[in-house]
Amino acid sequence: MLAIRFDRFGGPEVLTPVDLPAPVPGPGETLITVEAAGVNFADTFQTDGSYLSADLLPHVPGSEVVGRTGDGRRVLAKVAHGYAEQVVAREAALVEVPEELDAAQALALFTQGLTAWHLLRSAARLVPGESVVVHSAAGGVGSLAVQLAREFGAGRVLAQASTPEKERLALELGADEAARYPLPLRADVILDAAGGALFDQALGSLADFGRLVTYGNASRTAFAALDPERLGRLNAAVVGFWLRPTLARPGALHEPLEELFALALQGRLRPVTGIAYPLAEARAAHTDLRERRTTGKVVLLP
């Protein structure tokens, strides 16, 4: 079967199409024929060595797929090696996907949708009427967070994006206006995956008891040490968030995902899907993602 593997750490250039034997399911596992594999920013960190140690090489990246089981079920699955034509996944972790959702939409609601849901509900603990600023608001997580913030009762939603075209998309999705720092009014909740200078600007723009939720570092800039005295003066908080341990909590996966599916099928939530690349062109997908040339969910098609 076709798979994408890297044998050394580096940029997109290390991703190589290879022919591998199909995986064999172990006890409690199911073989899935992949319809589409999701591409996430975390995959680029796996590839450059930020997430993996050298003793795990060679490695097939990819953490999520939509596909068919041998008995015909259409499922979403968290996996260890998703950039392949076939994968194995734990049977207990499979989530059945409505046929009405195309694969890219379903994948957008999986990692990105669950991230946006938990950023607002679990990490920020959004209260109806509060103001929300979403960084990278046209991306996979950001485009859903803009819509969910409105759905969850935010009083005002501001969108930060890297280009005027992406700002326009965020406004179409329900943001009230584009975010410009310094903010004219301090914000109750700011969601940031960019890091760097944007993180520092956001921290200085929090309202009393505001929460800056950090869930990534797309700028690949080292974070400065947080000064507790500064947080005290701001009367605000910085909250870290990582999806993986969150999903191990009871009720953190199936219930939020069912709500996301229902909102999408009702037309109240629009998963933004981006470019679909052939599996063999994973290098191009990573390059475009790192260069912020993508909008919405990016997928690979075997």
Side-chain angles (χ1 to χ4, degrees), residues 29 37 57 61 80 85 108 111 121 169 198 202 238 249 291-292:
E29 292 183 329
L57 296 177
E85 291 180 316
T111 297
R121 290 287 203 211
L169 173 60
L198 200 57
V238 173
R249 298 169 61 88
E291 296 297 324
R292 301 190 183 185

Side-chain angles (χ1 to χ4, degrees), residues 39-226:
V39 179
N40 296 301
F41 217 93
D43 300 346
T44 70
F45 289 112
Q46 279 195 343
T47 305
D48 70 15
S50 302
Y51 276 11
L52 296 175
S53 58
D55 60 348
L56 294 176
L57 296 177
H59 187 77
V60 175
S63 62
E64 58 180 13
V65 300
V66 169
R68 295 275 180 186
T69 62
D71 58 6
R73 289 172 294 154
R74 187 170 186 247
V75 297
L76 270 170
K78 278 284 185 186
V79 297
H81 309 290
Y83 289 10
E85 291 180 316
Q86 291 185 301
V87 299
V88 294
R90 291 189 303 113
E91 174 66 33
L94 300 183
V95 178
E96 296 206 20
V97 181
E99 296 289 348
E100 298 91 334
L101 287 175
D102 71 30
Q105 290 176 321
L107 285 165
L109 293 174
F110 199 30
T111 297
Q112 280 73 31
L114 286 169
T115 297
W117 193 98
H118 281 292
L119 284 171
L120 292 163
R121 290 287 203 211
S122 306
R125 301 187 181 185
L126 178 67
V127 174
E130 289 188 317
S131 58
V132 177
V133 178
V134 179
H135 292 173
S136 307
V141 174
S143 61
L144 291 166
V146 165
Q147 298 173 76
L148 288 175
R150 179 69 68 210
E151 188 73 28
F152 295 164
R156 193 160 185 78
V157 181
L158 282 73
Q160 180 277 333
S162 58
T163 68
E165 292 77 16
K166 291 184 177 184
E167 285 183 351
R168 284 195 291 272
L169 173 60
L171 294 173
E172 291 172 9
L173 294 173
D176 292 295
E177 61 183 271
R180 298 280 189 276
Y181 287 107
L183 299 176
L185 295 173
R186 292 181 176 271
D188 298 302
V189 172
I190 303 177
L191 307 181
D192 174 64
L198 200 57
F199 175 90
D200 194 63
Q201 290 174 315
L203 183 58
S205 300
L206 289 172
D208 279 354
F209 300 105
R211 288 87 71 202
L212 169 55
V213 185
T214 173
Y215 65 101
N217 183 20
S219 69
R220 298 174 184 261
T221 302
F223 282 96
L226 278 174

